Amino acid sequence: MSGYRQLSRPSDQRKALLKQQLTSLLVNGELKTTKTRALEVQKMAEKIITLAVREQDNFDEVEVKKSAAKLDGKGRKILQTATSKAGNKYDKVEREITTETVKKDRPSRLAARRQIIAQIYEFKDENGERINTANHVFDELAPRYRDRKGGYTRIIRLGQRRGDAAEMVLLQLV
């Protein structure tokens, strides 16, 4: 017996299906699907959340200088007139330098982030705005499950589906 279910699909379709369902579970918190698919997605979700919890606080805060164009009251760039060495006049954008504190992942957290990114898709919310799913896992799910030693998901049986009598379940994050 192999370590995974084939779900009666070619490997590329199966991987895409599981990847999409895993992303949907992590972003929305629940997923309605068949029992066999839910068991596969549950295995993947448990591993991803465990990885995120383990690497949750493994980062450094670093000060970074950022340069941006100064803007006037209408949101346009402020220009200065400058003269080149050859005597030509040109417009130069005024810039302001700010310092910002950002999180810089340590190598093991970066590796974990890349593993998670390889297993999930980017997601768009109802407004069409992009949600970075890996950041969602690290920033929202990992703190929620920090003190939990596993068992991040549960399966609730819903009965059989009309038509093909497949057993339907609700897979939820606890």
Side-chain angles (χ1 to χ4, degrees):
M1 187 167 152
S2 61
Y4 60 92
R5 292 174 182 84
Q6 294 184 356
L7 303 175
S8 300
R9 296 187 183 271
S11 60
D12 59 337
Q13 291 177 13
R14 179 180 59 251
K15 289 175 186 175
L17 171 85
L18 293 174
K19 202 172 179 180
Q20 181 60 44
Q21 287 193 335
L22 178 62
T23 303
S24 180
L25 173 67
L26 294 175
V27 172
N28 299 323
E30 66 181 22
L31 172 70
K32 182 179 175 183
T33 186
T34 62
K35 183 180 176 184
T36 54
R37 289 179 186 173
L39 291 172
E40 286 300 304
V41 172
Q42 184 180 31
K43 278 197 289 190
M44 296 168 69
E46 295 280 340
K47 289 177 184 177
I48 283 183
I49 294 172
T50 301
L51 190 60
V53 167
R54 190 179 323 130
E55 296 294 335
Q56 178 183 359
D57 296 324
N58 199 5
F59 62 88
D60 297 320
E61 292 198 1
V62 181
E63 300 256 335
V64 177
K65 289 184 181 178
K66 290 195 173 185
S67 175
K70 282 188 179 178
L71 303 176
D72 63 4
K74 296 182 179 178
R76 294 179 298 199
K77 296 177 185 175
I78 298 175
L79 301 176
Q80 284 182 325
T81 304
T83 307
S84 68
K85 292 180 183 176
N88 298 329
K89 294 191 177 209
Y90 62 95
D91 289 332
K92 178 178 157 185
V93 176
E94 276 191 51
R95 305 201 65 82
E96 59 185 355
I97 297 174
T98 58
T99 305
E100 195 173 295
T101 304
V102 295
K103 293 180 182 179
K104 181 181 176 192
D105 291 341
R106 291 188 183 145
S108 62
R109 180 176 162 130
L110 180 62
R113 181 179 294 277
R114 288 178 176 165
Q115 287 175 6
I116 290 171
I117 289 171
Q119 294 182 35
I120 55 179
Y121 287 123
E122 290 298 317
F123 202 77
K124 291 189 178 182
D125 63 2
E126 58 276 352
N127 300 329
E129 295 180 21
R130 187 177 140 259
I131 296 174
N132 188 333
T133 317
N135 286 348
H136 176 77
V137 171
F138 276 105
D139 297 340
E140 295 182 26
L141 297 182
R144 187 189 325 171
Y145 298 117
R146 168 180 279 175
D147 299 327
R148 199 172 178 98
K149 298 292 183 199
Y152 309 114
T153 59
R154 70 171 153 234
I155 293 179
I156 300 170
R157 293 182 178 191
L158 299 176
Q160 294 182 335
R161 179 167 57 192
R162 273 182 76 129
D164 65 353
E167 187 172 357
M168 298 298 290
V169 296
L170 185 65
L171 178 61
Q172 293 180 328
L173 294 175
V174 177

